[in-house]
Amino acid sequence: QVQLVESGGGLVQPGGSLRLSCAASGFTFSTYFMSWYRQAPGKERERELVADISGGGSYITYADSMKGRVTISRDNAKKTVYLQMNSLKPEDTAAYYCNAHFQRTEYWGQGTQVTVSS
């Protein structure tokens, strides 16, 4: 059974940092590209790509909205992908989702809420 379980979300003050984790199971993790998406309040039909990393970790893409403030990484031995987020802003408030994709196969996690507020 495929599972993607996100953790690490929470309430943080503007300018703060959070590290999200996504633990995977049930598929060949190292084969899959892993991504982080986010869905802001009131935008239930819009999931925005935050970052993407290839199976071996060599190819990384960041969306402009958070470029320079986030770092995606993965540990294939632990079957886990991470998203380090720094200098967080109130507009970063969203549910953050982990995604695994390879060719035509795609899996999603349930999401973890990040709220940036003073």
Side-chain angles (χ1 to χ4, degrees):
Q1 180 181 2
V2 171
Q3 281 193 314
L4 294 173
V5 181
E6 300 98 333
S7 61
L11 174 64
V12 62
Q13 292 188 343
S17 298
L18 281 175
R19 188 195 195 202
L20 306 183
S21 300
C22 172
S25 61
F27 62 98
T28 308
F29 181 75
S30 61
T31 301
Y32 281 67
F33 278 74
M34 298 298 297
S35 306
W36 286 96
Y37 283 77
R38 66 181 183 179
Q39 188 167 345
K43 296 186 177 181
E44 284 72 21
R45 295 186 177 184
E46 299 178 29
R47 287 188 182 181
E48 174 192 12
L49 176 67
V50 175
D52 184 74
I53 185 169
S54 62
S58 298
Y59 298 98
I60 293 175
T61 302
Y62 294 108
D64 288 342
S65 59
M66 296 195 79
K67 190 177 292 184
R69 298 189 293 122
V70 296
T71 302
I72 189 171
S73 61
R74 66 190 294 161
D75 185 332
N76 285 346
K78 295 182 178 179
K79 297 183 180 181
T80 301
V81 62
Y82 305 96
L83 186 70
Q84 177 67 45
M85 303 189 293
N86 302 320
S87 302
L88 285 163
K89 306 174 182 180
E91 53 263 43
D92 296 321
T93 294
Y96 284 72
Y97 294 89
C98 179
N99 170 277
H101 58 101
F102 176 67
Q103 296 183 344
R104 297 184 179 183
T105 302
E106 183 176 53
Y107 306 117
W108 289 92
Q110 293 300 306
T112 186
Q113 179 66 36
V114 171
T115 301
V116 185
S117 175
S118 56

